[in-house]
Amino acid sequence: MMGELIARLGRVQVSSLSDADKTLPVCDPAIHALLADVTLVGTAFTVRADGDLLGMIEAIGRAEPGSVLVVATDGRPLAASGELFATEGRRRGLAGIVVDGYCRDLRGMRRVGLPVFARGTTPAAGPALGPAVVQEPVTVGGVRVRPGDIVVGDDDGVLIAPPERIAAAVDRAEEIERVEAEVAAGMRGGRSLHELTNAPEHLRAVAAGEPSTFRFQP
């Protein structure tokens, strides 16, 4: 069941999932993909790295294939991940890493290719003295994350929510993508966006103070 959901999520954009349920929690937009044109889908393995790397060291050795390391840093301006963590994550079959903070070794991470999301990069990293805190609830990008939550990310950003909330939205997300693909095909064929939506009627209704909903109608 979870495997099927993960597979379906890998075929939809995060924006479509967000449109399907606009209450799904989206991380601070400053947390972005460090590598372009990637898709991230997996289950959260939570880590605290408040200026110390020991939690990351433990997490990278414990997280199961398909997991996403979701890393809280308490705002510390130090790199919580880099090329070696990304390399080990790729070797172990992790889906990716999301850091509410900074990473380093960007050139090496590009070679590795593991999806990594962060606020940016810095060359400075902390020690590995501990304690190691993993698999406890954390707040990342303003979103409360629990172990086992589903993490989805792409070039638009990161969304994290419990599996049942994601599962309830995925049908609608797929339908949104189907309709938008038809609209895009219509525009490539020479039709205007207004022709492919109810925009004229919707604009008139809004101006008249009447109830109306904007929609595509390819």
Side-chain angles (χ1 to χ4, degrees):
M1 188 73 172
M2 180 65 79
E4 179 186 352
L5 177 60
I6 294 294
R8 291 172 70 186
L9 291 169
R11 296 190 289 268
V12 300
Q13 299 179 90
V14 178
S15 58
S16 300
L17 192 62
S18 182
D19 283 349
D21 180 354
K22 294 183 182 295
T23 69
L24 288 172
V26 174
C27 292
D28 183 340
I31 299 175
H32 62 279
L34 296 184
L35 282 66
D37 197 24
V38 296
T39 297
L40 168 66
V41 184
T43 53
F45 189 104
T46 60
V47 189
R48 296 208 63 88
D50 298 350
D52 190 278
L53 296 175
L54 196 59
M56 286 293 292
I57 292 169
E58 179 171 358
I60 204 73
R62 284 182 48 189
E64 296 292 329
S67 298
V68 177
L69 299 189
V70 179
V71 188
T73 70
D74 196 29
R76 304 296 176 89
L78 296 171
S81 188
E83 179 183 2
L84 296 183
F85 286 133
T87 300
E88 180 65 0
R90 174 67 85 187
R91 189 190 72 81
R92 290 179 58 84
L94 271 60
I97 301 172
V98 175
V99 179
D100 189 358
Y102 299 90
C103 292
R104 67 179 188 178
D105 309 326
L106 183 56
R107 186 179 302 168
M109 286 197 296
R110 289 193 186 110
R111 289 193 293 266
V112 175
L114 185 75
V116 176
F117 290 70
R119 291 181 179 270
T121 60
T122 179
L129 301 175
V133 181
V134 301
Q135 289 298 72
E136 294 185 3
V138 295
T139 297
V140 168
V143 175
R144 191 65 171 166
V145 183
R146 294 167 179 79
D149 283 353
I150 291 184
V151 184
V152 290
D154 60 22
D155 285 349
D156 288 332
V158 180
L159 184 156
I160 307 176
E164 61 272 15
R165 293 198 62 193
I166 299 288
V170 69
D171 285 349
R172 176 63 180 149
E174 291 172 339
E175 175 64 10
I176 287 169
E177 298 228 331
R178 184 191 66 77
V179 171
E180 289 188 353
E182 291 182 6
V183 170
M187 294 171 70
R188 288 194 297 270
R191 299 176 68 190
S192 73
L193 182 60
H194 276 198
E195 288 179 86
L196 294 160
T197 69
N198 70 332
E201 296 82 1
H202 181 60
L203 288 166
R204 283 195 295 270
V206 170
E210 300 169 354
S212 180
T213 301
F214 178 78
R215 63 182 181 278
F216 294 111
Q217 46 190 36

